[in-house]
Amino acid sequence: MNITKKEVDKLNAVVTVEISKDDYADKVHTILSNYRKNANIPGFRKGHVPMGMVKKQYGQAVLVEEVNKLLQENLHTFLTEEKLDVLGNPIPRNESEIDWNSDDFTFEFDLGLAPEFEVALPGKKATTHYKIVADDAMIDNQVKTICKQYGKLIAKDTVEKGDEVTGTFKAAEKDIENKATISLEDIKGKKQTTALTGAKVGDEVVLKTKGLFNDDHDNQKYLGVSHDDAHGLDVEVTFTIEEVNQREMAELNQDLFDKLFGEGVVTSEEELREKIKQDAEGQFAQQSDQKLLNDVVEDLIENTKFDLPKEFLQRWIQVSGEKPMTEEEAAAELERSEKGLRYQLIEGKLRADHKLQVTFDELKDYAKNMIKAQMAQYGNTNPTEEELEGISARILSNQEEVKRLTEQLNTNKMLQFFKEKAKLKTKEITYEKFVKEAYA
């Protein structure tokens, strides 16, 4: 067998694989001999079927299968030994020309080669790393929510300001029939609030959905409509009142603190507010990190310039799926996926240059820390090493879990790397302003 590579240009090459009869003849003969021993053909005793008949019936199918096995195995070995960084998979270029009645075969494959490039990090432009803080207004609102959640419900007959009202919304025009509990604080329009105020259990109140709630998304929750219908919904609904409750706020005392955080963890309103602040900012940090990761990735894609073997990639996309695509479909798919492919190459370059690959020991430690965090949620704050070893071994024996955890750890390593190496500017901001500024 002889395998050679001819470089077309820096991004494309052709590999030629020459297979002679000597490469496959013994294997084909052995398989056909086994067929002969086990074949049940009328008119012949088992094991005494003429070899000529076996070859005629099975010979070419066995030949094709064995040559293709040799081809794939040796092509893979060649690409590995030559350290060729290929994109996609080799595409056969003379498949239809192969004469399977001959003794020797020549196969040609087009290769798309990964480009060579450098990644500039830090770049010229600084990326904003948001530090999201929980301000007093947010903490006040959270304290109020806690007091409402753990307060008492007092049944009433008549709706007044601040009450919670349970009833059924109906509108034949949009097939709306949905039972929900609303608070008068959720209602936006003054006319709508006035229509509900003073209504009694059993009353039917007619409301207009346009501007009914503070947020159009509430139409989904309370009226049961789809996301698309929720935006700008403008119909009349009847709301039949079935229950009215006044929520008596819970007192900020030690019993409430213990219910929320465990006995003695929080002992005052000041400590409660600090705990709310810490928990909120911990969650905000995850959103801030994700925003940072997205922005650095976008910057790297935009500012790391290299060419791709687009013609090869389009052909590969066209033939590699479950169903063949047209040229137009493949071109559109390449356009959709090009940005992801570019970052995949950039990330691979960074991992190789800076030794950011995930090791098994790192994966095992990551799994153990995840297990410890989960066990702590259920009160086991001090698991033994034997427990952690056993559970992590079970998790890491599942390939899907290994893949999932590896992706998480890979993302964490890249994020930490960007925090250390990228050019960043920190900006302190409230969550409300962060949402408006970062995702406007």
Side-chain angles (χ1 to χ4, degrees):
M1 183 179 298
N2 185 42
I3 305 181
T4 56
K5 176 179 75 76
K6 179 183 176 182
E7 195 171 278
V8 178
D9 54 41
K10 289 184 179 298
L11 297 174
N12 295 276
V14 176
V15 169
T16 302
V17 183
E18 297 173 343
I19 298 178
S20 67
K21 188 174 182 178
D22 291 341
D23 296 318
Y24 63 81
D26 288 347
K27 183 68 174 175
V28 170
H29 179 75
T30 299
I31 292 172
L32 290 176
S33 296
N34 288 334
Y35 276 20
R36 182 176 180 236
K37 289 177 186 177
N38 298 299
N40 287 311
I41 296 179
F44 297 95
R45 285 184 297 146
K46 189 174 181 180
H48 291 271
V49 180
M51 179 57 86
M53 184 176 288
V54 173
K55 284 183 177 179
K56 185 176 181 180
Q57 189 165 352
Y58 302 108
Q60 189 168 95
V62 172
L63 169 69
V64 171
E65 184 176 355
E66 290 308 310
V67 168
N68 276 317
K69 282 182 184 176
L70 272 173
L71 181 62
Q72 297 304 321
E73 290 170 5
N74 287 276
L75 181 58
H76 175 75
T77 300
F78 176 79
L79 297 178
T80 302
E81 290 177 350
E82 292 291 313
K83 297 180 180 177
L84 293 175
D85 192 1
V86 299
L87 301 179
N89 292 313
I91 300 176
R93 64 183 298 171
N94 68 330
E95 195 172 27
S96 61
E97 301 169 11
I98 301 300
D99 179 8
W100 291 104
N101 292 313
S102 64
D103 291 332
D104 302 328
F105 308 99
T106 299
F107 300 89
E108 293 179 339
F109 294 89
D110 287 325
L111 301 183
L113 305 177
E116 294 184 3
F117 58 91
E118 296 298 324
V119 182
L121 200 68
K124 295 179 182 178
K125 184 181 175 183
T127 302
T128 300
H129 188 199
Y130 292 96
K131 181 183 178 183
I132 309 171
V133 297
D135 60 358
D136 287 341
M138 173 175 278
I139 297 171
D140 289 344
N141 187 58
Q142 187 61 30
V143 170
K144 182 179 178 182
T145 299
I146 289 170
C147 291
K148 285 179 68 176
Q149 183 180 350
Y150 287 87
K152 295 178 183 177
L153 285 178
I154 301 172
K156 299 175 60 181
D157 292 324
T158 305
V159 179
E160 294 180 286
K161 183 179 179 181
D163 287 346
E164 295 179 8
V165 187
T166 299
T168 300
F169 288 99
K170 289 184 181 180
E173 182 181 344
K174 283 288 185 179
D175 292 327
I176 295 171
E177 184 170 348
N178 195 60
K179 185 172 181 177
T181 298
I182 61 172
S183 168
L184 258 62
E185 294 175 358
D186 297 324
I187 303 301
K188 182 179 180 181
K190 187 176 180 181
K191 286 185 179 179
Q192 317 276 40
T193 305
T194 301
L196 284 166
T197 303
K200 299 181 181 297
V201 173
D203 286 353
E204 286 188 1
V205 181
V206 177
L207 302 169
K208 290 185 180 295
T209 59
K210 187 176 181 179
L212 176 58
F213 299 109
N214 292 313
D215 185 339
D216 272 359
H217 288 100
D218 286 342
N219 288 326
Q220 278 184 275
K221 180 168 62 173
Y222 296 131
L223 304 182
V225 297
S226 68
H227 180 270
D228 290 342
D229 284 342
H231 289 278
L233 184 65
D234 187 7
V235 296
E236 279 192 350
V237 291
T238 60
F239 182 56
T240 304
I241 298 173
E242 299 166 18
E243 190 178 324
V244 180
N245 290 291
Q246 178 185 350
R247 188 172 288 274
E248 186 179 273
M249 304 284 270
E251 291 184 30
L252 292 174
N253 55 29
Q254 195 60 48
D255 285 342
L256 178 60
F257 301 152
D258 291 346
K259 279 181 187 176
L260 291 169
F261 304 108
E263 190 173 346
V265 175
V266 169
T267 59
S268 67
E269 183 178 347
E270 289 73 21
E271 289 182 11
L272 169 66
R273 294 177 67 85
E274 183 58 32
K275 189 75 168 63
I276 291 171
K277 180 179 175 67
Q278 290 175 2
D279 290 348
E281 291 180 355
Q283 294 176 22
F284 295 158
Q286 295 176 21
Q287 295 184 54
S288 172
D289 284 347
Q290 186 60 55
K291 174 64 177 167
L292 173 65
L293 186 63
N294 294 345
D295 288 347
V296 174
V297 166
E298 284 292 328
D299 185 68
L300 285 172
I301 293 171
E302 184 179 344
N303 294 296
T304 306
K305 306 297 183 184
F306 53 80
D307 292 326
L308 291 170
K310 289 192 176 182
E311 184 180 338
F312 169 86
L313 289 170
Q314 184 173 317
R315 286 172 52 217
W316 175 67
I317 290 171
Q318 199 173 344
V319 300
S320 63
E322 290 183 10
K323 294 181 180 179
M325 294 184 181
T326 64
E327 286 187 21
E328 293 75 15
E329 289 171 336
E333 179 60 30
L334 177 58
E335 187 176 348
R336 282 192 294 270
S337 59
E338 183 178 342
K339 185 180 282 190
L341 174 58
R342 286 183 176 278
Y343 180 64
Q344 187 179 336
L345 291 169
I346 293 168
E347 183 182 12
K349 173 79 171 166
L350 290 173
R351 290 192 186 283
D353 289 352
H354 299 277
K355 298 179 174 58
L356 297 173
Q357 294 89 345
V358 171
T359 67
F360 181 75
D361 287 341
E362 288 174 327
L363 188 61
K364 188 176 180 181
D365 288 341
Y366 184 74
K368 285 183 178 179
N369 288 331
M370 179 192 71
I371 294 162
K372 285 170 72 174
Q374 290 176 347
M375 294 176 80
Q377 291 179 352
Y378 294 96
N380 186 353
T381 57
N382 192 28
T384 66
E385 185 62 23
E386 185 178 356
E387 286 178 300
L388 295 174
E389 283 284 342
I391 299 172
S392 65
R394 287 198 297 275
I395 290 174
L396 297 178
S397 67
N398 183 320
Q399 289 303 309
E400 286 298 315
E401 280 297 298
V402 169
K403 181 182 177 182
R404 184 178 67 84
L405 294 178
T406 301
E407 288 174 353
Q408 289 180 3
L409 188 50
N410 268 327
T411 299
N412 291 347
K413 290 188 83 165
M414 289 307 300
L415 176 62
Q416 189 57 41
F417 174 75
F418 290 149
K419 284 182 176 181
E420 294 171 1
K421 300 295 183 181
K423 189 175 183 180
L424 306 179
K425 58 180 180 181
T426 302
K427 182 173 183 179
E428 190 169 297
I429 194 169
T430 65
Y431 183 71
E432 185 178 354
K433 288 182 179 178
F434 167 76
V435 172
K436 289 179 180 177
E437 183 171 320
Y439 301 107

